[in-house]
Amino acid sequence: MLEIRFLNVGHGSSAVISFYSGETVSHGIIDSAWNRANIPKALSVLNELKADKLSFVCLTHPHADHYGGLSKILQAFDEKIDQFYTCPLGDLFINRDRLKKLALALKKVLERGDSSSIRQSTQEFMQILRWGDKNSAKWTECAGEENRLAPSGFSGVDIFSLLPPRSVKGVIISRIESEDPSLLGNINENDLSLCLRFTYAGVSVTVGGDATKANWEIRERFERNSGRDIASQVVNIPHHGSKHDNPQEVLNRLFVRSGDRYGITSANGQSHPHPETIFMISEMGIDPYCTNLMPPCGATVSKLVPIAGVEPGLARLIRESAEESGEIQACQGDILVRILSDGTVTVKPEFDNFCSYRKGASAKLNLEI
């Protein structure tokens, strides 16, 4: 049995992956985020699962909403992590001079930074690099349209990194060599983002990271020439459901054409996911699962639009509840995707809140009214 938990960490991404084979269970994580908690949520979940080691840790790209708190996890499982997969970062532990240049650039950010959040995220990234330096044999930088990953304990699961293209390696190396002061937090880092696909019992789950529209377009040529597509039944929609990076042509390729399909967004519900992304997958017959309420569902009263399929009185109650709370409200919360050995797929949210954008929503609403 394969389980993937997409965690509600506000504006950010974090997923815990567990594979059960016989009497053994193996765990891995993709990204982390603080979400203002004392410890990263992924670490709390791993503790609840009684994980005593990690088969792999994956950092999709160097944005703080994807690596915040990751050093806490590395510390908690120090010497008990088999593999660390990351996006291209300049082959840092092969080229020591490049590692030193990156360290100097980060040090300059710390020295001149007047924002506590920037200083914290910079220190966090430096701690990740220190762990990598100590464990360089476990550190693997991934680039290219199809790389097979084989972490221990996951021999029954096919795992591939699908993005970024190899061409981004030269860009990050150039930026490190020039000691680019905007290296961390720049939106261009999304071009580095890994995208992973897990396939078990004939079912595929894509974890999109912050993969960009430009990189999907590059990959399309590979798919056309190789005959291998990226279509999955379950997709953690790239870049938190961004409108720009998820145009219709990308969504068409990300999902299989028929059957039960699920689109999961890991976002704070305000800046992401974009309502048009949710509308589009709903029109495709794909069931959306959002960790937090998005604006049309009541997250930001000033930006409300009609809630499709929901009776006006009920929609007003949803909006008023969101307004009175004064905070971003969880919609589905944490989302557990479970795939059994016979290919059966279930999606279980932390909160079973009604969603008007899912198949059969109108019929369910009529029954409840």
Side-chain angles (χ1 to χ4, degrees):
M1 176 174 67
L2 178 66
E3 291 185 341
I4 303 181
R5 290 171 169 83
F6 297 99
L7 306 181
N8 176 20
V9 289
H11 181 72
S13 290
S14 188
V16 174
I17 298 89
S18 304
F19 182 58
Y20 298 80
S21 179
E23 299 297 318
T24 65
V25 56
S26 301
H27 302 284
I29 70 164
I30 302 174
D31 289 338
S32 176
W34 273 108
N35 193 28
R36 301 177 185 175
N38 291 328
I39 64 173
K41 191 162 192 178
L43 182 53
S44 297
V45 170
L46 289 168
N47 290 337
E48 292 170 6
L49 294 171
K50 296 181 170 51
D52 56 7
K53 68 184 293 287
L54 294 178
S55 296
F56 70 91
V57 171
C58 176
L59 170 61
T60 59
H61 65 295
H63 275 172
D65 62 325
H66 289 255
Y67 69 74
L70 190 58
S71 65
K72 290 276 188 182
I73 297 171
L74 298 178
Q75 181 181 4
F77 289 91
D78 193 26
E79 299 183 2
K80 296 180 181 179
I81 299 172
D82 292 340
Q83 296 288 332
F84 189 102
Y85 302 117
T86 182
C87 62
L89 288 172
D91 296 323
L92 297 175
F93 305 113
I94 297 173
N95 190 314
R96 305 292 301 183
D97 288 340
R98 196 172 294 145
L99 175 61
K100 290 178 182 177
K101 287 185 177 181
L102 178 56
L104 286 173
L106 296 176
K107 185 178 179 182
K108 289 178 182 177
V109 173
L110 281 177
E111 290 172 347
R112 69 172 182 274
D114 55 1
S115 164
S116 59
S117 61
I118 290 176
R119 288 197 301 271
Q120 180 181 343
S121 62
T122 303
Q123 289 171 335
E124 178 84 23
F125 197 70
M126 291 177 77
Q127 290 170 343
I128 294 169
L129 292 178
R130 288 192 191 103
W131 184 92
D133 195 21
K134 187 178 70 171
N135 298 274
S136 58
K138 301 177 180 181
W139 183 281
T140 302
E141 297 184 15
C142 306
E145 289 81 0
E146 194 165 274
N147 292 306
R148 180 182 289 275
L149 309 182
S152 60
F154 281 78
S155 60
V157 184
D158 288 330
I159 308 174
F160 287 91
S161 68
L162 309 178
L163 288 177
R166 297 186 191 282
S167 57
V168 305
K169 292 185 68 173
V171 176
I172 188 64
I173 289 172
S174 175
R175 293 180 66 191
I176 293 173
E177 294 286 357
S178 65
E179 298 182 31
D180 184 347
S182 66
L183 189 61
L184 288 181
N186 190 304
I187 193 67
N188 292 337
E189 265 84 74
N190 286 345
D191 285 332
L192 297 172
S193 182
L194 289 176
C195 171
L196 303 183
R197 183 169 64 174
F198 297 77
T199 302
Y200 174 65
V203 177
S204 291
V205 179
T206 293
V207 183
D210 273 6
T212 62
K213 174 177 178 285
N215 282 351
W216 290 122
E217 290 172 348
I218 292 172
R219 186 187 160 79
E220 183 180 23
R221 292 192 287 272
F222 166 80
E223 295 169 24
R224 191 167 56 244
N225 294 332
S226 67
R228 293 193 286 276
D229 62 31
I230 55 173
S232 295
Q233 188 170 344
V234 182
V235 178
N236 182 210
I237 299 176
H239 198 184
H240 315 285
S242 153
K243 174 185 176 181
H244 175 75
D245 290 317
N246 292 281
Q248 188 69 67
E249 57 269 24
V250 169
L251 293 174
N252 287 343
R253 288 163 52 212
L254 282 172
F255 288 94
V256 295
R257 293 290 185 181
S258 60
D260 291 334
R261 296 162 294 164
Y262 310 92
I264 297 168
T265 57
S266 308
N268 62 2
Q270 291 189 327
S271 57
H272 294 99
H274 196 284
E276 285 193 24
T277 303
I278 302 302
F279 299 161
M280 281 192 289
I281 67 170
S282 178
E283 288 295 314
M284 294 167 67
I286 296 161
D287 285 340
Y289 284 80
C290 304
T291 53
N292 285 287
L293 286 171
M294 64 176 178
C297 301
T300 311
V301 175
S302 63
K303 296 181 180 178
L304 287 175
V305 296
I307 304 178
V310 177
E311 188 270 331
L314 176 59
R316 178 176 55 80
L317 290 175
I318 293 173
R319 293 164 182 161
E320 288 177 354
S321 174
E323 185 177 17
E324 291 170 1
S325 71
E327 61 184 24
I328 299 170
Q329 291 193 5
C331 184
Q332 303 301 298
D334 297 345
I335 299 163
L336 169 63
V337 175
R338 178 177 290 138
I339 305 171
L340 302 182
S341 59
D342 64 359
T344 300
V345 180
T346 59
V347 179
K348 183 179 180 182
E350 180 181 7
F351 307 112
D352 191 19
N353 290 324
F354 172 76
C355 176
S356 64
Y357 301 108
R358 293 192 198 142
K359 299 188 300 293
S362 297
K364 181 179 179 182
L365 179 64
N366 289 334
L367 287 173
E368 291 177 347
I369 293 174

